[in-house]
Amino acid sequence: MADHPSNTTNTTNSSDIPGGRPVRTRYAPSPTGFHHIGNYRTALFEWLTARHAGGRFVLRVEDTDRKRFVPGSIEAMVEGLHWLGLDWEGPDVGGAYGPYLQSERLDSYRDYAEKLIAQGDAYRCYCTEERLAEMRAEQEARKEPTHYDRRCRYLTPEERAANEAAGMPSVVRFAAPLEGTTTYHDFLRGDITFDNTTIDDMILLKSDGYPTYNFANIIDDHLMDISHVIRGEEYISSAPRYAQVYRAFGWEEPVVVHVPLVLAPDRTKLAKRHGALPLLEYRDLGYLPEAICNFLLLLGWSYDGERELFTLDEMVQVFDDRRLGTSPAIFDKGRLDWFNGVYIRKMTPKQLTDAALPFLLAGLPEEARALAASDRAYVTQVLLLDQERLKTLRDAPELAGFFFVEQPEYEASLLLGKNMDAARAIETLDQLLPVLAEQRDWEHDALLRTLDTFVTSHGFIRKKADGTEAPDRGPVFMLVRVGVSGRKETPGLPEMLATLGKDRVLKRLRAARTKLETLATQTAG
RNA sequence: GGCGCAUUCGUCUAGCGGCCUAGGACAUCGCCCUCUCAAGGCGAAGAUCACGGGUUCGAAUCCCGUAUGCGCUACCA
């Protein structure tokens, strides 16, 4: 991964950056659990926006909800982001705008809240949660929209002083405009206008002294010089309230981009059970970060509707915010699998071995592990044979396990086919075994020649549709295939034999013959 | 309920007034290749562009309604 800003020679992109300030984007997750693919897709978009413009991507942890804090979630997030190949300015790497944990920035939120109170744009509210609940219940009973009734906004200075003197706990609320409308500009959707009567006096500071997300997010985006706020569309309705606060401070508003949600196949919000696992589980399932990124890139973004394969560097080159979509996308695992296969097929032998070996070792039976662990050249050869068949790295033990075991286990009947009963199979092996034992040149071309000669000289002939006859590799090849692998689906036979080596092949075919004899006896008896 | 956003093949999407009898990809099906499975090649099927009105010589594209989905409506983010 490149650590330097990529050369942005793209001349057609004028989207980046109305206002011309340095591009800084941020991913602002809350450590309240594990983040799924949809969250990381947003992070990808943010990272690409920054990188494309030669700007910076910031990781800021929104740990303002002490009740929902989940230990370990920050670490998992960082690990996930790293795994995808992103880099950033943030809590673990530092930067000029730290600290990057909101829990370490509490003083500044208080200061700014005080400032708003001083200028009349915020006020302390002493209403208890019980009263608020009661108030809401009444509003609902009257079928009114539920809103804070702003009682504390109109407290007299004397009442206020009395509450303070009594030591009543309070929150700080924004004194939102009561009339008119608030319009903000959504980069993708244009101006969005809300009637101010529908906007509540939101809480800025909670009674525990922590800011709400709604407040901290504004303060930090400003303090960290965030130029582009990219976030999920669930924030569309909150955006006007943020705009009001920016305006109360007289601050420049960032470019606001709301990206659509990623939905489950049943069109509901993505949840664990839909296969929307925590990102790192995809790693453990054998997915490649390149494939995940590419898949994510095209969920809600398109280049031209035709091209769909992009490396991270290429994404940085071509990414353009304006091509972001506005409607929700459904998580399609089948498509992810396809991307993963594509990227597996692109791997060099070394990359493939490095990536797949751990999965091989983890999935192989005990007795087979030593060989896989000790003979890397053999592992590479094997992996190469199955490269185009791997949908995930985790498929490796299943597909290639037989290369490493002492003897494959399988039902003897698997050796039989439509032109191959037990008797003929035994006969065939008896004839073939000596031929293979004699085989000196144990590589693909020579083996194929030998096998073909065997096929034609032992009467394996099939009739073609036009009535002419042709050699029929099928019965013999399949017999050997199963005998040597225990499977009906394998890489091509000659290359498989070449890789297995003469000793293993002969040993396995002899074992197959024994199986067939047992089978024949049983059937006869 | 209120407010907001969205709506093109099963899925991801292209499309920004005429090039669209709507293009690409995944998945599906068929054929080819072929020792199996893949991969690859070729092809098929699949979208009355949610619906209804407008605007226009002309609309998937612009406007207005309706429907549906989703989001917000917390001292969550």
Side-chain angles (χ1 to χ4, degrees):
Chain A
M1 181 183 56
D3 253 333
H4 51 82
S6 292
N7 45 326
T8 51
T9 46
N10 190 331
T11 52
T12 59
N13 193 342
S14 56
S15 80
D16 341 22
I17 327 348
R21 40 172 177 157
V23 173
R24 290 175 55 81
T25 62
R26 48 56 164 191
Y27 181 48
S30 63
T32 52
F34 295 92
H35 288 232
H36 61 64
I37 253 174
N39 303 305
Y40 285 95
R41 185 198 61 164
T42 306
L44 211 218
F45 289 156
E46 289 159 348
W47 182 82
L48 287 171
T49 299
R51 279 313 204 78
H52 178 75
R56 296 283 277 172
F57 171 61
V58 177
L59 174 62
R60 184 180 70 224
V61 179
E62 311 258 332
D63 56 343
T64 56
D65 187 343
R66 293 184 299 171
K67 293 186 201 89
R68 296 202 307 156
F69 179 78
V70 175
S73 53
I74 297 179
E75 290 76 6
M77 237 143 45
V78 164
E79 196 180 346
L81 256 14
H82 267 307
W83 181 63
L84 288 181
L86 311 190
D87 58 354
W88 57 85
E89 165 187 323
D92 56 330
V93 290
Y97 292 83
Y100 295 90
L101 254 42
Q102 291 190 323
S103 57
E104 296 173 7
R105 304 171 64 86
L106 263 25
D107 286 347
S108 73
Y109 309 125
R110 278 188 208 117
D111 292 347
Y112 282 105
E114 286 303 332
K115 191 174 175 210
L116 285 180
I117 293 175
Q119 65 191 45
D121 286 315
Y123 59 93
R124 288 193 185 283
C125 170
Y126 304 91
C127 293
T128 62
E129 297 200 49
E130 294 72 50
R131 187 185 105 73
L132 294 176
E134 211 172 287
M135 175 198 78
R136 265 193 289 271
E138 282 170 22
Q139 288 168 341
E140 267 167 45
R142 277 180 265 129
K143 296 191 187 283
E144 288 172 9
T146 55
H147 278 315
Y148 175 55
D149 60 8
R150 300 192 163 102
R151 176 196 274 191
C152 293
R153 183 164 173 169
Y154 304 110
L155 254 28
T156 63
E158 293 71 30
E159 290 169 318
R160 227 171 266 287
N163 285 342
E164 289 296 327
M168 286 180 66
S170 65
V171 301
V172 175
R173 295 185 105 107
F174 187 66
L178 302 174
E179 299 172 336
T181 60
T182 297
T183 298
Y184 78 95
H185 186 75
D186 183 296
F187 181 72
L188 296 173
R189 301 156 219 263
D191 287 345
I192 299 181
T193 299
F194 289 74
D195 197 311
N196 286 341
T197 57
T198 66
I199 299 176
D200 216 344
D201 281 1
M202 69 171 170
I203 292 178
L204 271 20
L205 248 37
K206 306 182 229 180
S207 54
D208 64 3
Y210 277 67
T212 58
Y213 164 86
N214 291 150
F215 187 53
N217 131 278
I218 298 167
I219 302 301
D220 286 339
D221 283 343
H222 176 254
L223 259 23
M224 294 182 177
D225 282 335
I226 300 301
S227 63
H228 291 59
V229 169
I230 300 169
R231 52 156 99 97
E233 71 173 332
E234 66 266 34
Y235 293 101
I236 288 179
S237 302
S238 302
R241 298 186 294 179
Y242 304 157
Q244 291 176 344
V245 177
Y246 274 103
R247 290 164 199 177
F249 279 121
W251 291 342
E252 180 182 0
E253 296 168 52
V255 176
V256 177
V257 186
H258 288 114
V259 298
L261 265 18
V262 177
L263 265 29
D266 61 3
R267 291 193 175 276
T268 60
K269 210 171 176 183
L270 207 49
K272 303 85 217 154
R273 85 191 116 90
H274 300 298
L277 308 160
L279 179 76
L280 291 173
E281 286 197 26
Y282 285 97
R283 179 188 60 187
D284 301 339
L285 252 23
Y287 288 90
L288 304 180
E290 294 85 350
I292 301 258
C293 282
N294 203 145
F295 169 71
L296 255 23
L297 174 74
L298 265 17
L299 262 190
W301 186 85
S302 68
Y303 178 64
D304 59 4
E306 307 276 318
R307 180 174 169 192
E308 49 186 4
L309 258 21
F310 300 88
T311 65
L312 225 43
D313 282 341
E314 288 168 340
M315 291 179 203
V316 169
Q317 289 297 324
V318 304
F319 190 76
D320 179 346
D321 284 295
R322 291 171 302 183
R323 295 197 59 85
L324 248 8
T326 50
S327 54
I330 290 171
F331 176 87
D332 180 3
K333 184 173 174 294
R335 205 168 142 76
L336 206 209
D337 287 344
W338 176 75
F339 274 112
N340 207 52
V342 168
Y343 279 93
I344 286 178
R345 274 172 248 132
K346 279 174 183 282
M347 289 202 268
T348 64
K350 181 179 177 350
Q351 291 172 328
L352 181 62
T353 308
D354 287 342
L357 187 53
F359 288 91
L360 210 45
L361 292 175
L364 245 28
E366 186 66 40
E367 47 130 345
R369 232 167 271 165
L371 175 57
S374 61
D375 192 344
R376 188 181 158 102
Y378 182 57
V379 169
T380 300
Q381 273 190 64
V382 168
L383 252 15
L384 251 19
L385 292 186
D386 268 316
Q387 184 164 21
E388 65 197 20
R389 265 165 284 264
L390 292 171
K391 213 166 54 186
T392 69
L393 297 172
R394 211 200 199 187
D395 296 337
E398 165 72 14
L399 292 184
F402 68 85
F403 280 97
F404 301 94
V405 296
E406 189 56 35
Q407 279 287 353
E409 285 175 29
Y410 59 96
E411 286 296 314
S413 59
L414 214 56
L415 291 158
L416 308 179
K418 72 173 184 295
N419 288 319
M420 192 60 81
D421 60 16
R424 189 161 196 211
I426 292 173
E427 183 194 351
T428 303
L429 284 176
D430 283 340
Q431 293 163 338
L432 180 62
L433 242 6
V435 174
L436 289 178
E438 287 297 302
Q439 178 78 17
R440 298 226 295 281
D441 193 359
W442 199 268
E443 49 80 32
H444 175 279
D445 290 1
L447 283 165
L448 182 56
R449 274 195 301 274
T450 300
L451 287 167
D452 274 340
T453 305
F454 182 88
V455 164
T456 45
S457 63
H458 285 75
F460 290 96
I461 302 293
R462 72 191 158 95
K463 281 214 173 64
K464 300 210 294 191
D466 60 11
T468 61
E469 296 189 330
D472 188 11
R473 285 171 167 172
V476 175
F477 277 49
M478 195 45 104
L479 175 64
V480 177
R481 157 173 295 112
V482 174
V484 111
S485 71
R487 298 171 54 90
K488 287 195 141 170
E489 299 144 22
T490 73
L493 190 61
E495 49 268 49
M496 182 163 66
L497 298 183
T499 297
L500 274 166
K502 189 169 175 177
D503 290 349
R504 280 196 198 93
V505 169
L506 293 178
K507 204 167 152 193
R508 291 178 186 203
L509 289 182
R510 288 190 194 110
R513 193 195 177 287
T514 308
K515 270 182 191 274
L516 284 165
E517 263 175 358
T518 312
L519 183 69
T521 321
Q522 284 171 349
T523 319

